[in-house]
mmCIF file of all heavy atoms in Angstrom:
data_model
loop_
_atom_site.group_PDB
_atom_site.id
_atom_site.type_symbol
_atom_site.label_atom_id
_atom_site.label_comp_id
_atom_site.label_asym_id
_atom_site.label_seq_id
_atom_site.Cartn_x
_atom_site.Cartn_y
_atom_site.Cartn_z
ATOM 1 N N ASP B 122 -29.917 57.892 -24.794
ATOM 2 C CA ASP B 122 -29.830 56.493 -25.122
ATOM 3 C C ASP B 122 -29.687 55.769 -23.772
ATOM 4 O O ASP B 122 -29.045 56.274 -22.859
ATOM 5 C CB ASP B 122 -28.595 56.207 -25.972
ATOM 6 C CG ASP B 122 -28.813 56.751 -27.403
ATOM 7 O OD1 ASP B 122 -29.622 56.185 -28.149
ATOM 8 O OD2 ASP B 122 -28.171 57.798 -27.744
ATOM 9 N N GLY B 127 -25.308 54.939 -27.079
ATOM 10 C CA GLY B 127 -25.927 55.145 -28.342
ATOM 11 C C GLY B 127 -25.551 56.569 -28.862
ATOM 12 O O GLY B 127 -24.951 57.375 -28.154
ATOM 13 N N SER B 128 -25.951 56.871 -30.096
ATOM 14 C CA SER B 128 -25.564 58.114 -30.763
ATOM 15 C C SER B 128 -26.742 58.797 -31.334
ATOM 16 O O SER B 128 -26.600 59.602 -32.290
ATOM 17 C CB SER B 128 -24.545 57.783 -31.865
ATOM 18 O OG SER B 128 -23.475 56.965 -31.353
ATOM 19 N N SER B 129 -27.954 58.500 -30.885
ATOM 20 C CA SER B 129 -29.123 59.035 -31.512
ATOM 21 C C SER B 129 -30.365 59.232 -30.653
ATOM 22 O O SER B 129 -31.359 59.738 -31.074
ATOM 23 C CB SER B 129 -29.546 58.117 -32.696
ATOM 24 O OG SER B 129 -30.034 56.896 -32.208
ATOM 25 N N THR B 130 -30.299 58.785 -29.402
ATOM 26 C CA THR B 130 -31.429 58.625 -28.434
ATOM 27 C C THR B 130 -32.379 57.559 -28.871
ATOM 28 O O THR B 130 -33.361 57.339 -28.191
ATOM 29 C CB THR B 130 -32.212 59.933 -28.125
ATOM 30 O OG1 THR B 130 -32.997 60.307 -29.266
ATOM 31 C CG2 THR B 130 -31.270 61.090 -27.790
ATOM 32 N N PRO B 148 -31.320 63.844 -32.850
ATOM 33 C CA PRO B 148 -30.567 64.904 -32.300
ATOM 34 C C PRO B 148 -29.112 64.532 -32.013
ATOM 35 O O PRO B 148 -28.374 65.297 -31.424
ATOM 36 C CB PRO B 148 -31.332 65.184 -30.986
ATOM 37 C CG PRO B 148 -31.790 63.793 -30.581
ATOM 38 C CD PRO B 148 -32.115 63.037 -31.878
ATOM 39 N N GLY B 149 -28.757 63.238 -32.301
ATOM 40 C CA GLY B 149 -27.569 62.668 -31.857
ATOM 41 C C GLY B 149 -27.675 62.219 -30.469
ATOM 42 O O GLY B 149 -28.760 62.224 -29.911
ATOM 43 N N GLY B 150 -26.581 61.606 -29.978
ATOM 44 C CA GLY B 150 -26.732 61.003 -28.620
ATOM 45 C C GLY B 150 -25.356 60.652 -28.124
ATOM 46 O O GLY B 150 -24.379 60.859 -28.731
ATOM 47 N N SER B 151 -25.330 60.249 -26.888
ATOM 48 C CA SER B 151 -26.490 59.885 -26.116
ATOM 49 C C SER B 151 -27.170 61.091 -25.423
ATOM 50 O O SER B 151 -28.311 60.993 -24.997
ATOM 51 C CB SER B 151 -26.111 58.887 -25.088
ATOM 52 O OG SER B 151 -25.155 59.435 -24.172
ATOM 53 N N SER B 152 -26.424 62.203 -25.313
ATOM 54 C CA SER B 152 -27.098 63.404 -24.587
ATOM 55 C C SER B 152 -27.965 64.159 -25.560
ATOM 56 O O SER B 152 -27.996 65.421 -25.491
ATOM 57 C CB SER B 152 -25.961 64.280 -24.065
ATOM 58 O OG SER B 152 -24.952 63.609 -23.307
ATOM 59 N N GLY B 153 -28.746 63.444 -26.334
ATOM 60 C CA GLY B 153 -29.577 64.094 -27.350
ATOM 61 C C GLY B 153 -30.662 64.972 -26.766
ATOM 62 O O GLY B 153 -31.000 65.937 -27.318
ATOM 63 N N GLY B 174 -18.186 60.657 -27.102
ATOM 64 C CA GLY B 174 -18.676 61.750 -27.952
ATOM 65 C C GLY B 174 -20.106 62.144 -27.592
ATOM 66 O O GLY B 174 -20.685 62.929 -28.339
ATOM 67 N N SER B 175 -20.605 61.586 -26.541
ATOM 68 C CA SER B 175 -22.081 61.760 -26.251
ATOM 69 C C SER B 175 -22.473 63.184 -25.902
ATOM 70 O O SER B 175 -23.672 63.428 -25.831
ATOM 71 C CB SER B 175 -22.471 60.827 -25.073
ATOM 72 O OG SER B 175 -22.721 59.524 -25.634
ATOM 73 N N VAL B 176 -21.558 64.103 -25.671
ATOM 74 C CA VAL B 176 -21.915 65.510 -25.558
ATOM 75 C C VAL B 176 -21.619 66.190 -26.873
ATOM 76 O O VAL B 176 -22.487 66.956 -27.423
ATOM 77 C CB VAL B 176 -21.138 66.170 -24.429
ATOM 78 C CG1 VAL B 176 -21.090 67.719 -24.608
ATOM 79 C CG2 VAL B 176 -21.702 65.842 -23.061
ATOM 80 N N GLN B 178 -21.091 65.019 -30.068
ATOM 81 C CA GLN B 178 -21.816 64.643 -31.276
ATOM 82 C C GLN B 178 -23.226 65.188 -31.284
ATOM 83 O O GLN B 178 -23.636 65.809 -32.302
ATOM 84 C CB GLN B 178 -21.805 63.105 -31.375
ATOM 85 C CG GLN B 178 -22.351 62.567 -32.674
ATOM 86 C CD GLN B 178 -23.747 61.984 -32.420
ATOM 87 O OE1 GLN B 178 -24.375 62.305 -31.438
ATOM 88 N NE2 GLN B 178 -24.255 61.213 -33.393
ATOM 89 N N PRO B 179 -24.032 65.107 -30.289
ATOM 90 C CA PRO B 179 -25.327 65.728 -30.323
ATOM 91 C C PRO B 179 -25.262 67.269 -30.352
ATOM 92 O O PRO B 179 -26.140 67.900 -31.005
ATOM 93 C CB PRO B 179 -26.037 65.262 -29.023
ATOM 94 C CG PRO B 179 -25.001 64.735 -28.115
ATOM 95 C CD PRO B 179 -23.875 64.252 -29.038
ATOM 96 N N LEU B 182 -24.798 67.962 -33.919
ATOM 97 C CA LEU B 182 -25.976 67.668 -34.729
ATOM 98 C C LEU B 182 -27.107 68.662 -34.447
ATOM 99 O O LEU B 182 -28.056 68.838 -35.251
ATOM 100 C CB LEU B 182 -26.448 66.204 -34.481
ATOM 101 C CG LEU B 182 -25.923 65.156 -35.502
ATOM 102 C CD1 LEU B 182 -24.435 65.301 -35.752
ATOM 103 C CD2 LEU B 182 -26.289 63.769 -35.002
ATOM 104 N N ASP B 421 -19.313 58.318 -34.244
ATOM 105 C CA ASP B 421 -18.423 58.775 -33.142
ATOM 106 C C ASP B 421 -16.914 58.688 -33.555
ATOM 107 O O ASP B 421 -16.053 58.700 -32.657
ATOM 108 C CB ASP B 421 -18.681 58.000 -31.847
ATOM 109 C CG ASP B 421 -20.072 58.278 -31.339
ATOM 110 O OD1 ASP B 421 -20.513 59.457 -31.501
ATOM 111 O OD2 ASP B 421 -20.673 57.348 -30.777
#
Side-chain angles (χ1 to χ4, degrees):
Chain B
D122 289 290
S128 310
S129 68
T130 73
S151 64
S152 309
S175 278
V176 161
Q178 185 258 17
L182 268 45
D421 294 325

